[in-house]
Amino acid sequence: MEKKIMYSAVQPSGNLTIGNYVGTIRNWTRYQEEYDCFFAMADMHAITVRQDPADLRRRTLELAALYLACGVDPNKCALYVQSRIPQHAELCWVLNTLTYVGEMERMTQFKDKSAKHADNINMGLMDYPVLMAADILLYQSDLVPVGIDQTQHVEITRDIAVRFNNRYGETFRVPQALIQKQGAKIMSLQDPLKKMSKSDENLNASVFLSDDKDTIIRKFKRAVTDSDSRIVASAEKPGVTNLLTIYASFAGITVEEAEKQFEGRGYGEFKLAVGERVAETLAPVQAEQKRLLADKGYLASALQAGAERAYKAARKTLSKVHRKIGFYLGE
Ligand code: TYM
């Protein structure tokens, strides 16, 4: 039986957090055994907010090394940098003509980012979901593993795919978001009603994958909880629920199991245990990422192989699209 196709990407737009890790990246190792996977560094998405060029290039490579350090195997999947494949932008242009301005204005992330970058509400920021649709549809993807915050973008991708298929005939597979039950939305340690984010100004709000053990433990110690000291997950205790979710996700257990483990313990002990567990899991990933970053030749060849594989698949879909919409293709 033909393997299902999986697509996912992360923006090299800042320091990655444990939300990115738990929400999606760490699962890719498992998925690559089962699916035909394309994993990208979404640098074209990243430039929709201002990036320092040298930082962007460095972060792109750091992100590639991180994927590999987490266990992504470049022989099993296509690991590549989005901007190396021109078909993403080309398909985005075509899909733009099937997408309405009103739909884009209603996107939650667009509204949030417009508020945050009020001096730079550029066309790319608004077009971001269409580029993401192009990423996904270009590879005829079936599954898109993402965190909860990206589900709206996968929904609009489905709408655009169906719209295209209805107008021009069956062309795209209609993909589905793959959201895990636990850890699909890790919250800020300082405001547990807000998503943990790469770009939070409060550095204590997010645990970065590059943080050392002391920093990780300090951030968890300062995490917001509440006055009642029971360690249980509930809507009234979002801070404790978030810490339990983080602990459970890193320990590979359920939140209920974590609750049992900490029954009758105090917050101090609990927070320390969460910090230690996270630091312990990240240490080997950090060491491997560092080792890989010292081997630029290996990284370049892995990314080159990934780009070649992606290019072949992308070219196939794009020529089909061009044929369907009536572009002149030469003799
Ligand atoms: P990005 O770079 O913001 O985030 C990368 C992935 O991490 C997930 N995530 C989280 N999961 C759980 N808890 C959190 N606090 C948390 N924060 C982030 C995101 O849901 C995402 O899965 N637009 C995408 C990148 C992208 C993409 C694509 C993804 C570009 N093209 C095509 C899938 C398919 C983004 O900005 O992710």
Side-chain angles (χ1 to χ4, degrees), residues 126-147:
M126 192 172 188
D127 207 22
Y128 182 113
V130 186
L131 179 60
M132 188 159 151
D135 297 346
I136 297 167
L137 301 180
L138 204 45
Y139 299 94
Q140 302 290 355
S141 313
D142 298 288
L143 295 167
V144 186
V146 282

Side-chain angles (χ1 to χ4, degrees), residues 185-197 200 202 204-206 223-224 238-239 242 246:
K185 192 173 188 187
I186 299 297
M187 310 308 279
S188 151
L189 297 189
Q190 292 299 313
D191 176 359
L193 298 176
K194 223 174 81 183
K195 185 191 75 154
M196 184 182 285
S197 148
D200 204 310
N202 183 345
N204 286 320
S206 309
V224 170
N242 189 39
I246 294 172

Side-chain angles (χ1 to χ4, degrees), residues 91-100 130 163-164 167-168 325:
L91 181 59
C92 180
W93 180 255
V94 173
L95 300 182
N96 273 335
T97 64
L98 289 143
T99 311
Y100 300 100
V130 186
R163 220 172 274 168
F164 189 101
R167 187 163 316 167
Y168 297 108
I325 58 181

Side-chain angles (χ1 to χ4, degrees), residues 15-27 146-149 180 183-187 195-198 206-209 242 246 250:
N15 281 326
L16 261 64
T17 73
I18 54 169
N20 302 123
Y21 177 75
V22 168
T24 187
I25 301 172
R26 65 148 188 190
N27 301 320
V146 282
I148 286 178
D149 64 310
Q180 53 179 351
K185 192 173 188 187
I186 299 297
M187 310 308 279
K195 185 191 75 154
M196 184 182 285
S197 148
K198 290 183 201 125
S206 309
V207 176
F208 300 112
L209 296 181
N242 189 39
I246 294 172
F250 276 84

